Amino acid sequence: MAAIAAEPTLVKKNYLTALREALIEEMRRNDQMICQGEDIGMLGGAFGVTEGLLDEFGSTRVIDAPIAEAAIIGTAVGMALNGKTVMAEMQFIDFISCGFDQIVNMMATYHYRTAGEVNLPVVVRGPAGGYGGGALYHSQMNEAWFCHSPGLRVVVPSTPYDAKGLLKAALRDGNPCIFFEIKELYRKNEIAEVIPDEDYIVPLGQAVIRKEGTDITFVSYGQSVYHCMSAAAELEKLGVSAEVIDIRTLVPLDEETIYKSLSKTNRVVVVNEAPMTCGFAGEIVARIANNAFNLLDAPPARVTRLDTPVPWVKPLELHVLPSVEKIVRVALQTAKY
Amino acid sequence: MAAIAAEPTLVKKNYLTALREALIEEMRRNDQMICQGEDIGMLGGAFGVTEGLLDEFGSTRVIDAPIAEAAIIGTAVGMALNGKTVMAEMQFIDFISCGFDQIVNMMATYHYRTAGEVNLPVVVRGPAGGYGGGALYHSQMNEAWFCHSPGLRVVVPSTPYDAKGLLKAALRDGNPCIFFEIKELYRKNEIAEVIPDEDYIVPLGQAVIRKEGTDITFVSYGQSVYHCMSAAAELEKLGVSAEVIDIRTLVPLDEETIYKSLSKTNRVVVVNEAPMTCGFAGEIVARIANNAFNLLDAPPARVTRLDTPVPWVKPLELHVLPSVEKIVRVALQTAKY
Amino acid sequence: MSVIPTTGTAAFEPLAEIAESTNDSRPSQLLTKEDCLEIFNQLYLARYFDIRLIKEKKRGRLRGTLYSSHNQEAILVGALFGLKATDWISPIHRDMPAFFLKDSKFQWDDPTRSGMSIEEVCAQVWGKVDSPGRARDNWSHIGSKSKRIIHSTSMLAGTIPVAAGVVYADRMNGGDAVVLTFNGEGSTAQGIFHEAVNFAAVHKLPVVTIVENNQWAYGTPVHMGCPTPDVADRAHGYGIPGLVADGQDVFDVYDKVMAAVEHARSGKGPSIVECKTFRAYGHGDHDDDRAMKYRPSEEIEKGRTRDPIAICRESLIERGFLSGAEAEQYIAERKSASEATNDDFPPVVVEYLNRGIEFALNSPLPNAEEGAMWVFKENA
Amino acid sequence: MSVIPTTGTAAFEPLAEIAESTNDSRPSQLLTKEDCLEIFNQLYLARYFDIRLIKEKKRGRLRGTLYSSHNQEAILVGALFGLKATDWISPIHRDMPAFFLKDSKFQWDDPTRSGMSIEEVCAQVWGKVDSPGRARDNWSHIGSKSKRIIHSTSMLAGTIPVAAGVVYADRMNGGDAVVLTFNGEGSTAQGIFHEAVNFAAVHKLPVVTIVENNQWAYGTPVHMGCPTPDVADRAHGYGIPGLVADGQDVFDVYDKVMAAVEHARSGKGPSIVECKTFRAYGHGDHDDDRAMKYRPSEEIEKGRTRDPIAICRESLIERGFLSGAEAEQYIAERKSASEATNDDFPPVVVEYLNRGIEFALNSPLPNAEEGAMWVFKENA
Ligand SMILES: Cc1ncc(C[n+]2csc(CCOP(=O)(O)OP(=O)(O)O)c2C)c(N)n1
Ligand SMILES: Cc1ncc(C[n+]2csc(CCOP(=O)(O)OP(=O)(O)O)c2C)c(N)n1
Ligand SMILES: [Mg+2]
Ligand SMILES: [Mg+2]
């Protein structure tokens, strides 16, 4: 029988599988890597992102931690200080508040305090975001707290390809990183995609244009990217051509891609799920206003969560979170300005 | 001997004394009020803001707490839930990170979660700010984290009069409040002033114009107000007339005063001490860009801390924090735009 | 029944005074027949509430995760039964029945009773506007200031400092309220547990921390989160009593909690009461299948053998409070949610819950605009 | 000298095995004369460093707060003396001498020794560029990865989880390193203390938590932060040994810490060693006057009576390691910073520190631009 050349597998993979593969491949590649978090071993994680890790890598490298977020982060810092690469899972990113001091004061500043002697390859990752009826404590997008704490990378992938490539990049970057996974995307079939079998990374700090357009620019990340895509489709029908930028990493931020788009469209709407005040949408608006003022033909707008917690029942939740409808409305105002 | 009409005392009081008086007067006025914090009783507080309270009000109402910020805040929530008004001191505002979860998830949201059944008159206050050589953990201005957590008032007084009036207002407001005291101002003689003997408050949510001007608007709060005043004086010599707005409360924010000033000057520089990214300076810039775009003749600029921690030794500290010189430079660019 | 109190490390000093009570003066021995039958019915009610919710959830009529209290009912019923209406509690995710059990004694049908009504609790479960919090936060985060039930966040152990603050304020007012705060054994690893219990111990506050040790914290067994033989041993670090109760025996729970409550109410300070039990299902209903992976089914079956309803039934027969015929009337124990039917429960229980559910179904959803309301108290 | 170990609640079980050692086989009894004289000199050095800094500060030559280690030197010297160079430590604000004492045995003048040099430490104190962290964070937050000294933040007890992580990694590499983490008694109320010690106990990590109980946390006495008779009792909540040492007696500290280190190194897990001592001055130099308000001067005088240098001197005389004449040569004990002169200390000590200070004075300030550097590791 004649040998058949190996064909790349063309199976589509979801966002969660992509993340899981990233962890497994990095654990194989780097025997100095440790994973720890609540229920990540025997259970395989609340959502299954760490499924199979304990079996393959054993309980020294895959730690079922006590319910103690501050210790999970603090011990990760110690392991990294002593040469390890650590993935620390928050069961929900909302619980990161319980380990807040260790992140912003201990971990984020270690490289700075030691004038570079110490660097900490620690990725703190966990499921984030609203629209799932998770209520106040299972819906947060609290990335702004960390963007405001110098020394942390902040990453929010929106596709399986990016999820895998960015998680690998974050684990290899050598700086501490807060990695926001969008739990509503974990098993969403519509966004499953074929991803390369070969090792690849998506470099931190590179935005991507999800859809080209000429009249208005949407800047967003995470779930909001899909809302922007839907809004762009609506707008297309109304004769407005929207460009959609997915920034992917918030720190570092690829401003060039934004300004380049703006030099074409001269109008921008920034969309994210976090509360408005001091959120990252405001930061992008501020940078645009500071640095690209002369490119603007209309006020740089933002569509964000209202300044409220995320309430539980559906009508309330949808009322406070951004919707395609709201985005379209603001985009039309901006386009007509 | 003929009776002499009582004259108001004309003694100037410093920022710290004003705060101490506010606490003493509120404790007298409201026998349901409790003060708690590390070393606030027998010692009278690390800086002396609570000097004399233990003697006058006793150890049930003035609690020397264990070194446990999360418990200090969490127990304050419980006391307030059961009818008390609570002042909770952080020895330095930097340590608030250790009680972060109790603030953002328990305290900030209680009114919301209970549809108004519960409201928590808790003021968490503490010394904040840089320029004193306090290094990374005794220099923070981390107000943005709390502005980004819906349900919290955020207040930063810059004068003795405001310190007293705003602290009283915050204690009576009925909502949880994070109250930033500028420790470099505590005993600064230059800003001591005569304050009324009668009870008064400074309502939350009202900005004040510290200096009128016609060419450019400075928006700031806390220590930065003084830097803006000095910058304005420099600019005056160069023929640029700057208006200086002290917003005093960040949440709620008095936007009207800002827009009114802008409709005159059409140029704005926002100044604060926090790291740039996702700080409150950016929020003000974003709101101006969103809501007052047509008033702007130049990019709305900001002068903030660089995106770094606050380093220890003087040359480094001054390099990363805003200075009068930097403000003047940016103002001139903005004025000439 | 075991003597009060038992602890893992028996020699710990502060327990001594609680241990003074003899077998016969145990609080549970002083309960009347009426009390005991009420307790029996409350166990049925807690069980019925749980299996009914499981059924409703399976039918797709409920949103959110259901953390079953099946097999842990004796802890809730036994701990709450002896409280005063002026006492406070802070239940968490696995304690839904606590909301209507507090202050419900002999008053299930009395609308003026001090406890939270079944209607309010069901309105919360169904996410309707007539819930006390207007369904703004999910299921188990319900509470009520007027009913003295502290609203939890999701952050485990986070209510303990709040509970400590509540009784600090009460004591300042001259009150004698005690607070029971409920927590899983896994949650005792949280830093806030330490800070709060330490604060309570320093101030000798009447805070009784109930630890429901169901052996598992989601997919993590107790020994991976707690290094001591008993979780109650954590008490030794604070110089306070750490009691261990048989969480399957409602009267043992009652005895130990009442001892702790008495200790607290008389000004002697906080304590920890660990109730040993076993989680009947997965962590939440989403986990029922996966749970088999980390917890072999034999272990689950073994864990379920000591059903709190059966154990209570035996006690009542022993004390002559139930005749043979009465005892055989309703047998809910050892039946899973899919096996049990309404006939396995006393009609008063079924009717009570039906009333709540009907109310909930008729209650509307809150208006969308409410999502933006009550961020701040508005001051006129 | 007391038998090893003493604890407040003597009956606690896990201590038993450590307690096996008899008076004569105490680790300190096995120290050579050379060792003992070195220890004596180290006490002088620690004391001299402190009083010299107080003088420099008073002269206005130093910025930042000075948290005096006066009267607490025996804890640092005794705890560090028996460590291996591969062991780690995490000192905090009151432990400045620890930075140069670790790994300095018999090697004060050897530039190739493994410890941190006095030059580096002084450069840090003076805020100069030749400090290991280029003076970016203040005094006591110095550290060194290569010298195995963990850099603290200001947030008390915050280094304990880091310490636990460090030895977790070391064990994974097949190492046998132990970590000593230093904390004041007040800091043990922090949640992170609990989370970290709990983690270490679950994983049986070689983490020895030294509690320097100087009776005061700033202006708060120990009983207002800790509800147990001994702070070491906190160990009971984790099922780990809690030892109490006489913090004024360098050999008792050495014995207890070595017992804990041995326990840790042999895989038996963490422990807490409380060293009872007394803060000689105010909390920091800014507090010296105010301290009189909350701490009457008689209390301070009484607290200072048991000077660690004097106690060590007595032991050495007893063991015949010091003759009468030698013993009288330098008398630094009981002298305050303003009373003591260079003549009260062995010249080797004075010279050593002089060298460090001279280096520091000649080291430049870092350039302003460095303030913006090293926020992130740059990847080429
Ligand atoms: C601070 C925090 N971390 C993690 C979680 C996620 N979580 C919810 S329940 C649970 C397990 C709790 O175990 P245990 O305390 O034993 O209570 P049980 O569910 O067994 O009743 C976890 C880890 C959380 N809710 N809060
Ligand atoms: C988390 C935190 N809260 C508060 C402080 C402020 N603070 C610095 S030292 C100190 C007292 C510490 O007492 P103790 O732990 O007994 O150590 P000691 O100073 O007595 O050596 C306090 C409250 C801090 N540094 N970190
Ligand atoms: Mg459990
Ligand atoms: Mg102390």
Side-chain angles (χ1 to χ4, degrees):
Chain A
M1 226 163 97
I4 304 167
E7 294 269 343
T9 49
L10 290 173
V11 188
K12 286 186 177 181
K13 289 176 180 161
N14 66 20
Y15 186 93
L16 188 144
T17 305
L19 290 162
R20 200 164 69 82
E21 286 188 4
L23 289 178
I24 292 173
E25 290 174 22
E26 290 303 297
M27 285 288 276
R28 286 184 188 149
R29 190 177 164 274
N30 176 5
D31 65 7
Q32 296 302 303
M33 181 172 155
I34 294 172
C35 291
Q36 84 163 324
E38 294 153 16
D39 314 303
I40 69 161
M42 295 168 63
L43 174 69
F47 288 88
V49 179
T50 55
E51 191 89 54
L53 260 64
L54 178 65
D55 282 350
E56 181 169 349
F57 304 103
S59 64
T60 300
R61 292 182 60 202
V62 181
I63 309 171
D64 270 320
I67 306 176
E69 283 74 13
I72 289 171
I73 292 155
T75 54
V77 168
M79 293 168 190
L81 172 59
N82 206 357
K84 306 303 174 190
T85 295
V86 189
M87 182 289 280
E89 176 171 305
M90 299 285 103
Q91 195 156 89
F92 285 80
I93 208 71
D94 312 58
F95 306 144
I96 203 169
S97 56
C98 297
F100 196 70
D101 171 62
Q102 287 287 325
I103 292 184
V104 300
N105 287 318
M106 180 63 78
M107 184 167 77
T109 61
Y110 221 125
H111 192 67
Y112 188 80
R113 288 183 276 142
T114 60
E117 188 200 7
V118 174
N119 68 290
L120 302 175
V122 178
V123 175
V124 179
R125 45 161 288 282
Y131 300 98
L136 288 86
Y137 309 114
H138 292 74
S139 304
Q140 295 177 15
M141 282 297 291
N142 48 31
E143 66 279 7
W145 293 334
F146 306 104
C147 296
H148 191 59
S149 304
L152 300 172
R153 305 290 200 204
V154 180
V155 178
V156 190
S158 72
T159 66
Y161 180 89
D162 282 1
K164 183 169 180 179
L166 286 167
L167 183 50
K168 287 182 165 229
L171 284 162
R172 297 179 198 176
D173 179 63
N175 289 291
C177 175
I178 315 294
F179 193 94
F180 288 79
E181 298 173 0
I182 308 299
K183 59 179 174 295
E184 290 298 307
L185 301 180
Y186 270 155
R187 298 175 191 279
K188 194 164 186 159
N189 284 331
E190 299 92 302
I191 70 159
E193 61 185 333
V194 177
I195 52 182
D197 280 336
E198 316 80 62
D199 181 48
Y200 70 95
I201 65 159
V202 173
L204 304 186
Q206 292 187 7
V208 64
I209 295 172
R210 296 288 176 204
K211 174 187 170 301
E212 306 223 348
T214 51
D215 300 334
I216 191 166
T217 301
F218 286 132
V219 181
S220 77
Y221 53 94
Q223 239 171 146
S224 301
V225 171
Y226 297 98
H227 300 142
C228 288
M229 292 296 281
S230 301
E234 291 290 315
L235 288 167
E236 212 75 45
K237 296 181 206 152
L238 302 170
V240 177
S241 163
E243 181 144 307
V244 179
I245 297 176
D246 179 354
I247 60 170
R248 303 197 285 197
T249 62
L250 284 59
V251 181
L253 176 66
D254 174 3
E255 293 180 48
E256 285 322 302
T257 298
I258 297 172
Y259 302 150
K260 217 168 129 194
S261 175
L262 262 179
S263 65
K264 184 168 59 172
T265 64
N266 307 112
R267 284 155 209 273
V268 64
V269 179
V270 185
V271 185
N272 77 351
E273 288 186 44
M276 181 188 78
T277 300
C278 290
F280 202 75
E283 178 61 28
I284 295 175
V285 166
R287 292 205 195 172
I288 291 170
N290 294 161
N291 305 328
F293 185 69
N294 58 356
L295 297 178
L296 290 171
D297 287 346
R302 54 182 161 166
V303 178
T304 68
R305 191 206 303 172
L306 304 182
D307 273 334
T308 72
V310 181
W312 180 37
V313 296
K314 212 75 209 168
L316 274 55
E317 184 186 28
L318 294 180
H319 182 71
V320 309
L321 286 173
S323 64
V324 175
E325 194 198 333
K326 282 187 227 174
I327 298 169
V328 168
R329 197 183 326 126
V330 171
L332 284 176
Q333 278 166 16
T334 304
K336 283 185 197 141
Y337 185 89
Chain B
M1 226 163 98
I4 304 168
E7 294 269 341
T9 48
L10 289 173
V11 188
K12 286 187 176 183
K13 290 176 180 161
N14 66 20
Y15 187 92
L16 188 143
T17 305
L19 291 163
R20 200 164 69 83
E21 286 188 2
L23 289 178
I24 292 174
E25 289 174 23
E26 290 303 296
M27 285 288 277
R28 286 183 189 152
R29 190 176 165 273
N30 175 4
D31 65 7
Q32 296 302 302
M33 182 173 155
I34 294 171
C35 292
Q36 85 164 321
E38 294 152 16
D39 315 304
I40 68 161
M42 293 168 63
L43 175 69
F47 288 88
V49 179
T50 56
E51 190 89 50
L53 262 64
L54 178 65
D55 282 349
E56 181 169 349
F57 304 104
S59 64
T60 300
R61 291 181 61 201
V62 180
I63 309 170
D64 269 319
I67 306 176
E69 284 74 13
I72 289 172
I73 293 155
T75 55
V77 169
M79 293 167 191
L81 172 59
N82 206 359
K84 306 301 175 192
T85 295
V86 189
M87 181 290 280
E89 175 172 307
M90 300 284 104
Q91 196 155 92
F92 285 81
I93 208 69
D94 311 58
F95 306 143
I96 203 167
S97 57
C98 297
F100 196 71
D101 173 62
Q102 287 287 324
I103 292 185
V104 301
N105 287 318
M106 180 62 79
M107 184 166 78
T109 61
Y110 221 125
H111 191 69
Y112 188 81
R113 289 183 276 140
T114 59
E117 188 200 7
V118 174
N119 70 287
L120 302 176
V122 178
V123 175
V124 179
R125 44 161 289 282
Y131 299 98
L136 288 86
Y137 309 114
H138 291 74
S139 305
Q140 295 178 15
M141 282 296 292
N142 47 32
E143 67 279 6
W145 293 334
F146 306 104
C147 296
H148 192 58
S149 302
L152 299 173
R153 305 290 200 205
V154 180
V155 178
V156 190
S158 72
T159 66
Y161 180 89
D162 282 1
K164 182 168 180 180
L166 286 168
L167 183 50
K168 286 184 166 226
L171 284 163
R172 297 178 197 176
D173 180 65
N175 288 291
C177 175
I178 316 293
F179 193 93
F180 289 79
E181 298 172 1
I182 308 301
K183 60 178 174 296
E184 290 297 307
L185 301 181
Y186 271 156
R187 298 177 191 279
K188 195 166 185 159
N189 285 330
E190 299 91 302
I191 69 160
E193 60 185 333
V194 176
I195 53 182
D197 280 334
E198 315 80 62
D199 181 49
Y200 71 94
I201 65 159
V202 174
L204 305 187
Q206 293 187 7
V208 64
I209 295 173
R210 296 285 175 206
K211 173 188 171 299
E212 306 226 349
T214 51
D215 300 333
I216 191 165
T217 301
F218 285 131
V219 181
S220 77
Y221 52 94
Q223 239 171 145
S224 300
V225 172
Y226 298 98
H227 300 143
C228 289
M229 292 295 282
S230 302
E234 290 289 313
L235 289 166
E236 213 75 43
K237 296 181 207 153
L238 303 171
V240 178
S241 161
E243 180 144 309
V244 178
I245 297 176
D246 178 354
I247 59 171
R248 304 196 284 198
T249 63
L250 285 58
V251 182
L253 177 66
D254 174 3
E255 293 181 48
E256 285 323 301
T257 298
I258 298 172
Y259 302 149
K260 217 167 130 198
S261 175
L262 263 179
S263 64
K264 184 169 58 173
T265 63
N266 307 113
R267 284 155 210 274
V268 64
V269 179
V270 185
V271 184
N272 76 352
E273 288 186 45
M276 181 188 76
T277 300
C278 290
F280 202 74
E283 178 61 30
I284 295 174
V285 166
R287 291 204 196 173
I288 290 170
N290 294 161
N291 305 328
F293 186 69
N294 58 358
L295 296 179
L296 290 171
D297 287 347
R302 54 181 160 165
V303 178
T304 69
R305 191 205 304 172
L306 304 183
D307 274 335
T308 71
V310 181
W312 180 38
V313 295
K314 212 74 210 169
L316 275 56
E317 184 185 29
L318 294 179
H319 183 70
V320 309
L321 286 173
S323 63
V324 174
E325 194 199 332
K326 282 188 228 175
I327 298 169
V328 169
R329 197 182 327 125
V330 172
L332 285 177
Q333 277 165 15
T334 304
K336 286 186 196 141
Y337 185 91
Chain C
M1 243 189 242
S2 57
V3 180
I4 302 170
T6 52
T7 60
T9 53
F12 195 67
E13 235 251 299
L15 299 181
E17 57 189 284
I18 291 187
E20 270 166 31
S21 45
T22 65
N23 221 27
D24 287 342
S25 63
R26 284 209 313 274
S28 62
Q29 291 297 312
L30 307 176
L31 289 170
T32 62
K33 176 176 175 182
E34 196 185 18
D35 278 336
C36 290
L37 292 176
E38 167 74 14
I39 283 175
F40 194 43
N41 268 353
Q42 289 196 3
L43 288 176
Y44 271 118
L45 175 57
R47 176 70 53 87
Y48 183 65
F49 182 81
D50 191 72
I51 69 148
R52 184 72 185 270
L53 257 46
I54 294 176
K55 284 179 206 259
E56 298 283 338
K57 185 83 201 286
K58 286 228 167 91
R59 264 198 250 165
R61 307 220 301 186
L62 292 177
R63 300 168 61 230
T65 304
L66 171 61
Y67 301 95
S68 171
S69 53
H70 189 110
N71 204 43
Q72 302 187 202
E73 299 90 348
I75 303 172
L76 302 175
V77 172
L80 296 172
F81 197 77
L83 288 194
K84 296 194 200 177
T86 46
D87 291 333
W88 289 72
I89 63 170
S90 70
I92 47 141
H93 57 287
R94 205 173 294 289
D95 308 321
M96 283 307 296
F99 295 99
F100 53 79
L101 287 177
K102 177 176 192 278
D103 308 324
S104 73
K105 204 175 352 175
F106 307 131
Q107 302 174 331
W108 296 17
D109 288 311
D110 176 359
T112 65
R113 75 186 178 83
S114 57
M116 195 182 275
S117 75
I118 189 72
E119 287 84 355
E120 288 175 304
V121 176
C122 289
Q124 170 73 9
V125 173
W126 264 260
K128 299 301 187 63
V129 77
D130 291 302
S131 126
R134 300 181 80 84
R136 302 161 73 75
D137 198 358
N138 77 8
W139 278 32
S140 57
H141 300 173
I142 185 176
S144 165
K145 179 177 170 174
S146 60
K147 309 285 163 69
R148 299 190 174 79
I149 302 178
I150 296 170
H151 313 70
S152 63
T153 69
S154 287
M155 286 63 182
L156 295 167
T159 52
I160 313 181
V162 180
V166 160
V167 289
Y168 188 98
D170 182 77
R171 185 169 72 181
M172 184 171 151
N173 295 345
D176 73 344
V178 168
V179 63
L180 299 194
T181 155
F182 293 83
N183 306 274
E185 85 293 343
S187 310
T188 63
Q190 277 285 330
I192 192 68
F193 169 90
H194 174 71
E195 294 198 5
V197 175
N198 190 63
F199 184 95
V202 164
H203 289 279
K204 292 201 173 301
L205 294 174
V207 178
V208 178
T209 299
I210 313 275
V211 176
E212 301 181 63
N213 180 1
N214 61 7
Q215 313 300 322
W216 288 88
Y218 208 154
T220 304
V222 54
H223 71 271
M224 294 185 71
C226 179
T228 51
D230 290 321
V231 183
D233 292 338
R234 296 207 187 273
H236 303 180
Y238 310 102
I240 62 173
L243 312 186
V244 177
D246 176 354
Q248 305 310 102
D249 179 348
V250 69
F251 296 114
D252 195 44
V253 172
Y254 178 80
D255 287 339
K256 303 286 165 58
V257 174
M258 281 309 104
V261 164
E262 209 25 68
H263 184 82
R265 210 184 299 285
S266 63
K268 292 182 191 143
S271 54
I272 295 175
V273 183
E274 175 184 5
C275 302
K276 304 251 191 214
T277 181
F278 191 84
R279 202 180 73 201
Y281 301 108
H283 172 60
D285 58 315
H286 60 291
D287 184 47
D288 280 343
D289 299 328
R290 299 175 73 207
M292 296 302 146
K293 195 187 141 199
Y294 58 86
R295 228 169 53 144
S297 48
E298 312 85 72
E299 187 190 316
I300 301 179
E301 264 155 43
K302 180 159 169 280
R304 282 195 200 153
T305 47
R306 301 188 62 245
D307 190 295
I309 298 180
I311 291 173
C312 180
R313 184 192 312 280
E314 290 309 312
S315 298
L316 296 192
I317 292 170
E318 214 172 276
R319 289 178 66 179
F321 292 164
L322 269 184
S323 71
E326 286 167 336
E328 298 297 311
Q329 225 172 342
Y330 316 106
I331 304 284
E333 55 253 41
R334 293 195 197 103
K335 289 186 181 154
S336 70
S338 53
E339 293 155 1
T341 69
N342 285 355
D343 292 341
D344 295 317
F345 295 88
V348 58
V349 158
V350 176
E351 279 155 26
Y352 182 71
L353 185 55
N354 278 343
R355 211 176 65 214
I357 294 179
E358 199 182 312
F359 177 84
L361 292 173
N362 289 327
S363 173
L365 280 173
N367 286 332
E369 292 70 31
E370 288 196 6
M373 291 168 66
W374 297 297
V375 177
F376 290 102
K377 168 173 179 280
E378 302 300 338
N379 298 300
Chain D
M1 239 186 245
S2 57
V3 180
I4 302 171
T6 52
T7 61
T9 54
F12 195 64
E13 235 250 301
L15 300 183
E17 57 189 284
I18 290 187
E20 269 166 33
S21 44
T22 65
N23 219 29
D24 286 343
S25 63
R26 283 207 315 274
S28 63
Q29 292 297 313
L30 307 176
L31 290 170
T32 61
K33 177 177 173 182
E34 195 184 18
D35 279 335
C36 291
L37 293 177
E38 167 74 14
I39 283 176
F40 194 43
N41 268 353
Q42 289 197 2
L43 288 176
Y44 273 116
L45 175 57
R47 174 70 51 87
Y48 184 64
F49 182 80
D50 190 73
I51 67 149
R52 183 72 186 267
L53 258 47
I54 293 176
K55 285 180 206 259
E56 299 283 336
K57 186 80 200 292
K58 286 227 167 93
R59 263 199 251 163
R61 307 220 301 185
L62 291 176
R63 297 169 63 230
T65 305
L66 170 61
Y67 301 96
S68 170
S69 54
H70 188 110
N71 203 44
Q72 302 188 203
E73 299 90 349
I75 303 172
L76 302 174
V77 173
L80 296 171
F81 196 78
L83 288 194
K84 297 194 199 178
T86 47
D87 291 332
W88 290 72
I89 64 170
S90 69
I92 46 142
H93 56 288
R94 206 172 293 289
D95 307 322
M96 283 307 298
F99 294 99
F100 53 79
L101 287 177
K102 178 177 191 278
D103 307 325
S104 74
K105 206 174 349 177
F106 306 131
Q107 300 173 331
W108 295 18
D109 287 310
D110 176 359
T112 66
R113 74 187 180 83
S114 57
M116 194 181 277
S117 74
I118 190 71
E119 287 84 356
E120 287 174 303
V121 176
C122 288
Q124 171 73 10
V125 172
W126 265 260
K128 299 302 186 64
V129 77
D130 290 302
S131 129
R134 300 181 78 85
R136 303 161 72 75
D137 198 357
N138 76 11
W139 277 31
S140 58
H141 300 173
I142 185 177
S144 165
K145 180 178 170 174
S146 61
K147 310 283 162 73
R148 299 189 173 82
I149 302 178
I150 296 170
H151 314 69
S152 63
T153 68
S154 287
M155 285 65 182
L156 296 167
T159 51
I160 313 182
V162 179
V166 160
V167 288
Y168 188 98
D170 182 78
R171 185 169 74 183
M172 184 171 152
N173 294 347
D176 73 345
V178 168
V179 64
L180 298 195
T181 153
F182 292 83
N183 306 274
E185 85 295 341
S187 310
T188 64
Q190 278 284 329
I192 191 69
F193 170 90
H194 174 72
E195 295 197 5
V197 175
N198 191 62
F199 184 95
V202 164
H203 288 280
K204 291 201 175 298
L205 294 174
V207 178
V208 177
T209 300
I210 312 275
V211 176
E212 301 181 64
N213 180 2
N214 61 7
Q215 314 299 324
W216 289 88
Y218 208 154
T220 305
V222 53
H223 71 271
M224 294 186 71
C226 178
T228 51
D230 289 322
V231 183
D233 291 338
R234 296 206 186 276
H236 304 179
Y238 310 103
I240 61 172
L243 311 186
V244 177
D246 176 354
Q248 305 310 104
D249 179 349
V250 69
F251 296 114
D252 194 45
V253 172
Y254 179 81
D255 287 338
K256 303 288 164 54
V257 174
M258 280 308 104
V261 163
E262 209 24 70
H263 184 81
R265 209 184 301 285
S266 64
K268 293 184 190 141
S271 54
I272 294 175
V273 182
E274 175 186 3
C275 302
K276 304 251 192 214
T277 182
F278 191 83
R279 203 182 72 202
Y281 301 109
H283 172 59
D285 58 313
H286 60 291
D287 185 46
D288 280 343
D289 300 326
R290 298 177 73 208
M292 296 303 147
K293 194 185 144 200
Y294 58 85
R295 230 170 49 145
S297 49
E298 310 86 70
E299 187 189 317
I300 301 179
E301 264 155 45
K302 183 161 167 280
R304 282 195 199 153
T305 48
R306 300 188 63 245
D307 191 295
I309 298 180
I311 292 174
C312 181
R313 182 192 313 277
E314 291 307 313
S315 299
L316 297 193
I317 294 172
E318 213 172 277
R319 288 179 67 180
F321 292 166
L322 268 184
S323 71
E326 286 166 335
E328 297 297 311
Q329 223 173 344
Y330 313 107
I331 304 283
E333 54 254 43
R334 290 196 198 104
K335 289 188 181 151
S336 70
S338 53
E339 293 156 0
T341 68
N342 284 356
D343 292 341
D344 295 316
F345 296 89
V348 56
V349 159
V350 175
E351 279 155 27
Y352 182 71
L353 185 56
N354 277 343
R355 211 176 65 215
I357 293 178
E358 199 182 315
F359 178 84
L361 292 173
N362 289 326
S363 173
L365 280 172
N367 286 331
E369 293 68 34
E370 288 198 8
M373 291 168 66
W374 297 297
V375 177
F376 290 102
K377 169 174 178 279
E378 303 300 338
N379 297 298

